[in-house]
Amino acid sequence: MRSRSYLFLLLVLGLALFSWLGFNARKYNLGLDVQGGVRLVYEMDVTQLTPEQRANGLAGVRSTILHTLEDRASGSFGATEATVTQKGDYQFIVELPGFTDINQAQKILGTSARIEFYSASNVVGPKRPYGRFDIEANDKGTEPIVSFRPRTGGDLITYYLHPENPKDKSLNPKYQDILKDWGDPILAGNDLATAEVDQNGPTPRPLMKFSSEGTTKMERWSRGNPEGMLAIVLDKKVLSLNHVKEGQILKDNAVIDGTMDVEYVKSLVDLLNSGSLPVDLKQLSAEKVDPTIGKAALTKIISAGLIAFGVISLFLIVYYAFPGFVAFIALALYVLFTLTVLKLINATFSLAAIAGFILSVGMAVDANILIFERFKEEMKKGRDLKKAIDLGFRRALPAIIDSNSCTILTSLVLLNLGTGPVKGFATTLVIGVAISLFTAVAVTRSLLVFAYGSGMATKESWYAVKRNWFGEKFEEHADTDPLPVVQKSKKWFLISLGTIVPGLIFIGLGGLKPNVEFRGGSEVQFAVKDPNLSSPQLTAKVEASGMKGGSVKFGTGQNGEKIAYISVPPEAG
């Protein structure tokens, strides 16, 4: 018993050390309401749609764009609380919490992500020694853009008209003319099934796997074009151009060769897996968004959380004595484990996520209380201390698993159906509840087993078995004098109706009033002259004018001006 107790202690200490190192290795990824972020507005290019699509399929196109942007915003940036909302019939608003690099956001969100494979018929290759263009790859370790050099002489033809000026994004028309000569693509868009990072090489590369239809197209082309020149193009930008080796038949996959930055490869894979857009998006604006509550309010929230943690810990120690002290240590380790996991997966700490974390702390406390009460019951039945500890954990475990499983299942529904803050709340709650189950069962038990097995805590008086402050006296007669619920069912049904009916009445009177996030509405954007105007002040003015249920955000325009975004529900006009 003594050797096992020390083994348990070493296990807990090892987990605590690992978590502490992981906790200090990452910074918090704060949410849009705490730290602010980036707001981008896009408009779909409806000129690329057929008349039939404009008349009958516009809703489907909007839905595809909305879900694709959500996948990109969440996957590419790790921002689980990124929000994407539709504005009008053709516009979309994307808000990325904690993100500051507008240029990087534009690269990922604004692209159509349409990957295409072409037969580069005008480029020099083994079967075309007299092609019109030689190729030059970009070996700077970032984005691999292939350039072309005319065989007849002349300047290098690059994708951007002025590549020496990073701020000038003007496209080179000569570059696009080269691609037009290639004709229709071999395969494109939906012919790509999945993408992943290929580690089988000197540097990571994007590996693309084709659908069954795409595999058939690629195999047909490679058989008909031995040693042909194959170009991989993303949004009219040539990422890779190589000849097919002699005797090689391409089928179900391809890689993009070249020297690429690791982060670029990961972002490109995420982008391809998020799906291509049915039409191009035109960026209308890009601004930085100010936090709605700010770090000062976050400090108050943290202070309130610490006070609540202290009060709960004090109660556990006072009421349960030594087991309560063990629960306090387990609870502190639970907080460390959970925050470490959330930081390592780059979860967003917004008000919703913090609420989910605090709720999971309550679940962790509840599990410990269930265990200790079962332990006290066993002690009252005359069990010895060692047996009571073992039975207390065993008999409390089913109830703990049931309650935690229900919470996790509900959270998984929110995680799959929700967006933005709802998804962040669900993510935090699922992780927190899962870890709370581990700490309550494994950590608390390990510490108690160590304390008893090492001889440190073998006195029954340390376990406060006879401390009954909350009606435990009813338990003494539970077997002989049970509460007659079934026998007096009418009484209990009336009590239930007495609590349900008033709620239904108030719901009928308009008790549930969803705001603009649920019903949509109108958005007003204007420049703010008063730099000291705060979000609560403007919200109060908006509600005083009769427009209740709206939301107010501040941002910084590209010229440095302060901008207010006011969203109000439909009836507010």
Side-chain angles (χ1 to χ4, degrees), residues 9 12-13 15-16 19 309 312-313 316-317 321-339 357 360-369 371-372 393 432 434-449:
L9 179 64
V12 172
L13 290 177
L15 287 173
S19 297
F309 181 86
I312 291 172
S313 300
L316 288 172
I317 295 172
F322 179 73
F325 177 73
V326 171
F328 159 70
I329 296 175
L331 203 59
L333 289 175
Y334 160 76
V335 172
L336 175 63
F337 294 160
T338 306
L339 291 179
F357 170 69
S360 68
V361 174
M363 297 288 289
V365 174
D366 181 60
N368 280 285
I369 290 175
I371 291 169
F372 296 154
F393 278 93
I435 295 177
S436 73
L437 178 62
F438 168 75
T439 54
V441 175
V443 176
T444 304
R445 180 180 182 132
S446 298
L447 292 174
L448 277 176
V449 168

Side-chain angles (χ1 to χ4, degrees), residues 322-553:
F322 179 73
F325 177 73
V326 171
F328 159 70
I329 296 175
L331 203 59
L333 289 175
Y334 160 76
V335 172
L336 175 63
F337 294 160
T338 306
L339 291 179
T340 299
V341 171
L342 291 174
K343 289 174 76 173
L344 290 177
I345 67 171
N346 205 27
T348 303
F349 285 85
S350 66
L351 282 181
I354 294 171
F357 170 69
I358 292 175
L359 183 58
S360 68
V361 174
M363 297 288 289
V365 174
D366 181 60
N368 280 285
I369 290 175
L370 281 173
I371 291 169
F372 296 154
E373 288 298 328
R374 293 294 299 181
F375 160 76
K376 288 168 65 176
E377 288 179 13
E378 298 302 325
M379 288 292 292
K380 290 175 182 178
K381 291 179 181 179
R383 311 279 190 189
D384 63 81
L385 195 55
K386 178 178 177 294
K387 189 68 174 178
I389 292 175
D390 182 60
L391 289 176
F393 278 93
R394 287 175 180 270
R395 292 178 176 173
L397 186 60
I400 295 171
I401 292 177
D402 285 347
S403 62
N404 287 355
S405 298
C406 291
T407 304
I408 290 175
L409 288 174
T410 305
S411 301
L412 288 175
V413 173
L414 292 175
L415 187 62
N416 283 278
L417 300 181
T419 58
V422 175
K423 185 174 289 188
F425 170 83
T427 301
T428 309
L429 187 57
V430 167
I431 293 173
V433 170
I435 295 177
S436 73
L437 178 62
F438 168 75
T439 54
V441 175
V443 176
T444 304
R445 180 180 182 132
S446 298
L447 292 174
L448 277 176
V449 168
F450 165 74
Y452 178 82
S454 62
M456 292 174 54
T458 56
K459 294 182 179 179
E460 292 188 6
S461 60
W462 286 24
Y463 294 82
V465 176
K466 298 180 180 181
R467 191 163 294 166
N468 300 322
W469 296 351
F470 300 99
E472 284 87 344
K473 62 181 181 180
F474 293 110
E475 296 178 7
E476 299 175 4
H477 309 286
D479 294 334
T480 59
D481 188 19
L483 194 64
V485 176
V486 177
Q487 294 84 347
K488 298 183 179 180
S489 58
K490 293 182 179 180
K491 169 187 173 182
W492 297 106
F493 275 125
L494 287 173
I495 293 175
S496 299
L497 287 174
T499 58
I500 294 172
V501 171
L504 295 176
I505 293 173
F506 281 109
I507 290 176
L509 294 174
L512 296 177
K513 296 180 180 179
N515 63 4
V516 67
E517 293 177 348
F518 291 94
R519 293 182 294 165
S522 304
E523 183 185 66
V524 180
Q525 176 180 333
F526 60 89
V528 179
K529 295 182 179 180
D530 183 5
N532 298 319
L533 183 65
S534 65
S535 179
Q537 290 173 334
L538 185 55
T539 301
K541 291 182 179 181
V542 171
E543 292 186 350
S545 64
M547 294 184 289
K548 297 183 180 297
S551 64
V552 174
K553 294 177 183 177

Side-chain angles (χ1 to χ4, degrees), residues 240-270:
S240 176
L241 206 164
N242 294 285
H243 79 275
V244 180
K245 296 178 182 179
E246 184 178 1
Q248 183 180 13
I249 302 298
L250 302 179
K251 290 186 178 181
D252 59 352
N253 66 78
V255 295
I256 299 177
D257 286 323
T259 305
M260 288 167 274
D261 183 75
V262 176
E263 292 302 319
Y264 172 78
V265 174
K266 292 179 180 179
S267 64
L268 180 58
V269 167
D270 285 339

Side-chain angles (χ1 to χ4, degrees), residues 26-47:
R26 289 283 188 94
K27 294 182 178 180
Y28 288 106
N29 181 28
L30 300 178
L32 196 71
D33 47 7
V34 178
Q35 182 175 290
V38 173
R39 172 191 169 102
L40 303 104
V41 181
Y42 291 99
E43 185 174 61
M44 52 192 289
D45 184 3
V46 293
T47 61

